[in-house]
Amino acid sequence: MSGSSDESDAPDLPAAEPVPRSRWRMQLVWLVPIVAVLIGGWLATKAILERGEKISISFKTGEGLEAGKTKLKFKDVDIGVVEAVNLSPDHKNVVAQAEVARDVASLMVENTRFWVVRPRISGGTVSGLGTLLSGSYVDVDVGNATKARRSFVGLEEPPVFASDVPGREFTLKSTGLGSLDVGTPVYFRRLRVGQISSYQLDPDGRGVTLKVFVNAPYDRFVKTDTRFWHASGVDMAIDTNGVRIETQSIVSIIIGGVAFESPPDSQEEANAPAGTGFELYATRADAMRKHDRIVDKYVVNFIDSVRGLTVGAPVDFRGVVIGEVTAIYTRFDPAHNRFSIPVEIQIYPERFTSRYQGDRTGGRISDDPRGVANYLIEHGFRFQLRSGNPLTGQLYVALDRFPDAPKATIDWSKTPPELPAIPRTLQSLQDSVTRLLAKLNNIPFEAIGTDTRTMLRSTNTMISQLNNEVVPKARDTLASAQSTLDSANTALQPDSSLQQSTEEAMHELTRTAATLRTLADYLSRHPEALVRGKSEDTP
């Protein structure tokens, strides 16, 4: 009973029916990870596809570089970012690892340049002031090469001009840098047309090489015969027109500058290719001076002082500059036991020829230069030092004719040949005074003084004798003479007896003379009277 009751109380359960396994339920379970994998793969692929190029840039210091913050910019557009800043293996430089966008990776070529933009003052210009607020960044100047590159050496100074700026770069050679610097302006007819891009000391240390960039279209005015000169400060000259002051601009007075121009008589039309070398002259006058093709070197041996003569002083022929002084030395002549001053000069024969003389446009006046030189020296042409400026004492070498100059010849055996000189007028006067003083020194003034003193003593003795002996006698003689004169004066008085006797004697002499005249007249009429005597006159 109990068993049946228990069975009757139990609920009726449905019979289990087998259900087949669903494949779709299992796929839905794995759908999320599959989607996640797909998204991750897509993101990874996108990241790989969009990942930029890795480059490295070496700098001297890490100033202004900060990993993850310092941007790379091209034309003020962000093209990358510095990811890491580390020391180089030799610890001498700083290497910045950067990533640039893939779309600008083609710009990373051989001559692409990088530099850190920070506040700078150079060449009279101020740049990078915006980085005071925004922070420093690496600027990029894309080159024009075709070969790709991923490792670069950054510039410590920003380039003066970008690679895509139209224009041409030229090379200048100078003996010194002066006040020039990177960024110093270049002028053409007082217009700023370029700037100095770089400079460096020559390997031999004797000069400086500068690179100047002239912007287009002004670069077409640089010809093959163009002259460059320092335009720094103020050029002042004094000539027949008065005082002349020239300057390119106020900026050039403060920071200097370089100017260029072709000579006024230039016929050159060809433009100078990029990279052409030019000489950088000190002044415009030096640059515009005629450059002679023929140069003859000589030595002039002076025996007088060359104080005031400097290298570069002109060699003048009657007001025309025909050369210049290149060196000044000293020489001791043991044969004559004296010093002399050899002065090396350069003579430009082309300046003796005139373009108005026949068909000559330059060159020498003769095909026999030695013969011409010998002829000039033989006919009295000599070199002489003359004063060019009495205020400053500057001298120059003059060539002129001196008819009374002693005979001389040119020593062609020496290199360079030696030309004769003549002392200047002041030196000749000084030599004459020196010779006169030498003669005066030879006069025995001491002996003459001794003799003079002896003579003075004798004179004093003589004067004493005159006072004691001669003067009293002379006084007595004068007294006697006075008495005689008084007696004669008394005798010559009109009422004196001597005067009356003299008058009577004169009357008698007059009568006697009349009688003798009568007798002479009679005898001239009757000469026979001397024999017969005087005959009586017949009535």
Side-chain angles (χ1 to χ4, degrees):
M1 290 294 289
S2 60
S4 61
S5 60
D6 292 337
E7 291 177 358
S8 60
D9 293 336
D12 296 334
L13 297 175
E17 296 180 359
V19 178
R21 192 174 203 181
S22 176
R23 295 178 306 170
W24 297 106
R25 182 176 297 175
M26 184 65 66
Q27 291 177 351
L28 291 175
V29 172
W30 291 97
L31 181 60
V32 174
I34 291 175
V35 172
V37 170
L38 292 176
I39 293 174
W42 176 75
L43 292 175
T45 303
K46 183 179 179 181
I48 294 174
L49 293 176
E50 293 181 353
R51 185 180 64 181
E53 291 286 341
K54 301 290 184 179
I55 63 172
S56 63
I57 310 169
S58 176
F59 294 99
K60 291 287 185 181
T61 66
E63 181 184 0
L65 300 176
E66 190 174 355
K69 292 184 178 181
T70 304
K71 303 293 185 180
L72 274 69
K73 293 186 177 183
F74 174 63
K75 296 185 181 296
D76 289 333
V77 176
D78 293 347
I79 62 171
V81 64
V82 175
E83 295 183 336
V85 180
N86 303 306
L87 290 174
S88 62
D90 58 1
H91 300 168
K92 293 182 178 180
N93 298 310
V94 172
V95 179
Q97 302 293 338
E99 180 181 334
V100 297
R102 181 173 292 276
D103 58 347
V104 297
S106 60
L107 302 180
M108 304 296 106
V109 293
E110 281 286 341
N111 53 353
T112 296
R113 299 179 291 182
F114 299 84
W115 67 95
V116 178
V117 177
R118 59 176 74 98
R120 301 175 187 272
I121 299 177
S122 177
T125 60
V126 179
S127 61
L129 291 181
T131 59
L132 293 175
L133 300 177
S134 62
S136 300
Y137 62 91
V138 178
D139 206 350
V140 181
D141 177 50
V142 178
N144 54 6
T146 58
K147 185 178 180 181
R149 186 177 180 181
R150 294 296 179 264
S151 179
F152 301 90
V153 177
L155 304 177
E156 295 304 315
E157 298 288 339
V160 178
F161 58 93
S163 300
D164 56 351
V165 174
R168 283 178 291 166
E169 192 175 42
F170 304 98
T171 302
L172 303 182
K173 290 286 187 178
S174 176
T175 56
L177 187 63
S179 59
L180 304 179
D181 197 358
V182 174
T184 299
V186 176
Y187 296 95
F188 175 69
R189 301 191 183 278
R190 292 187 170 87
L191 296 176
R192 182 168 179 170
V193 299
Q195 55 278 325
I196 295 178
S197 57
S198 65
Y199 62 85
Q200 64 178 1
L201 185 67
D202 293 341
D204 57 3
R206 296 185 177 181
V208 178
T209 301
L210 301 94
K211 299 286 187 179
V212 297
F213 185 82
V214 181
N215 302 319
Y218 306 105
D219 58 338
R220 62 189 176 92
F221 297 111
V222 181
K223 310 296 183 180
T224 55
D225 63 345
T226 294
R227 314 286 171 78
F228 289 79
W229 69 89
H230 281 275
S232 306
V234 178
D235 292 335
M236 184 175 67
I238 301 177
D239 54 18
T240 56
N241 296 323
V243 180
R244 185 179 68 257
I245 299 176
E246 294 184 358
T247 183
Q248 296 297 322
S249 67
I250 298 298
V251 176
S252 67
I253 297 177
I254 300 175
I255 65 173
V258 173
F260 70 89
E261 188 179 339
S262 295
D265 56 350
S266 173
Q267 302 295 327
E268 185 63 47
E269 297 182 356
N271 294 334
T276 302
F278 297 92
E279 183 177 355
L280 182 61
Y281 295 93
T283 62
R284 185 180 186 277
D286 293 339
M288 291 295 117
R289 187 174 58 184
K290 182 179 179 181
H291 294 180
D292 300 271
R293 298 172 300 168
I294 305 175
V295 179
D296 292 338
K297 295 183 179 181
Y298 297 97
V299 169
V300 182
N301 195 27
F302 294 101
I303 59 173
D304 43 354
S305 174
V306 296
R307 183 179 181 85
L309 184 69
T310 59
V311 174
V315 177
D316 180 278
F317 175 67
R318 298 181 179 178
V320 178
V321 177
I322 59 171
E324 64 179 342
V325 175
T326 58
I328 302 174
Y329 304 100
T330 58
R331 178 195 299 170
F332 179 73
D333 185 5
H336 299 84
N337 196 24
R338 67 178 182 181
F339 283 95
S340 60
I341 311 295
V343 176
E344 289 187 5
I345 62 174
Q346 289 182 347
I347 301 295
Y348 308 121
E350 293 175 297
R351 301 191 182 186
F352 284 97
T353 60
S354 173
R355 61 175 180 169
Y356 302 105
Q357 180 181 359
D359 297 331
R360 289 185 176 272
T361 58
R364 301 181 182 273
I365 58 178
S366 174
D367 295 333
D368 184 15
R370 289 195 176 188
V372 173
N374 289 330
Y375 176 84
L376 294 176
I377 299 303
E378 182 181 353
H379 286 76
F381 282 86
R382 298 290 186 274
F383 289 89
Q384 185 185 50
L385 292 175
R386 293 181 181 176
S387 175
N389 191 328
L391 297 179
T392 61
Q394 293 179 340
L395 301 179
Y396 67 93
V397 179
L399 173 63
D400 209 337
R401 185 171 181 269
F402 300 88
D404 298 331
K407 297 294 183 180
T409 58
I410 302 176
D411 189 355
W412 295 103
S413 62
K414 296 183 178 180
T415 304
E418 186 170 313
L419 302 175
I422 191 170
R424 49 182 169 164
T425 305
L426 182 60
Q427 182 66 31
S428 300
L429 178 61
Q430 182 178 351
D431 294 341
S432 300
V433 172
T434 302
R435 289 192 295 269
L436 177 60
L437 292 176
K439 292 181 179 179
L440 291 175
N441 289 332
N442 294 329
I443 297 177
F445 288 103
E446 185 176 355
I448 293 175
T450 302
D451 295 341
T452 303
R453 285 192 295 271
T454 303
M455 184 179 66
L456 289 175
R457 284 195 296 269
S458 300
T459 304
N460 291 333
T461 303
M462 184 181 298
I463 292 175
S464 298
Q465 293 177 353
L466 288 174
N467 290 332
N468 297 329
E469 299 178 5
V470 177
V471 171
K473 294 180 179 180
R475 187 181 301 112
D476 295 340
T477 302
L478 289 175
S480 300
Q482 184 66 37
S483 300
T484 302
L485 289 175
D486 292 339
S487 300
N489 188 26
T490 301
L492 293 175
Q493 293 296 325
D495 55 350
S496 63
S497 58
L498 177 62
Q499 185 69 21
Q500 294 177 356
S501 300
T502 302
E503 290 181 356
E504 292 178 356
M506 292 300 295
H507 289 306
E508 290 296 331
L509 289 174
T510 301
R511 287 194 294 269
T512 302
T515 304
L516 290 175
R517 187 181 301 107
T518 303
L519 177 60
D521 291 340
Y522 179 80
L523 291 175
S524 63
R525 291 192 304 270
H526 304 282
E528 69 278 2
L530 292 174
V531 178
R532 299 176 182 179
K534 182 178 180 181
S535 60
E536 294 184 0
D537 296 334
T538 56

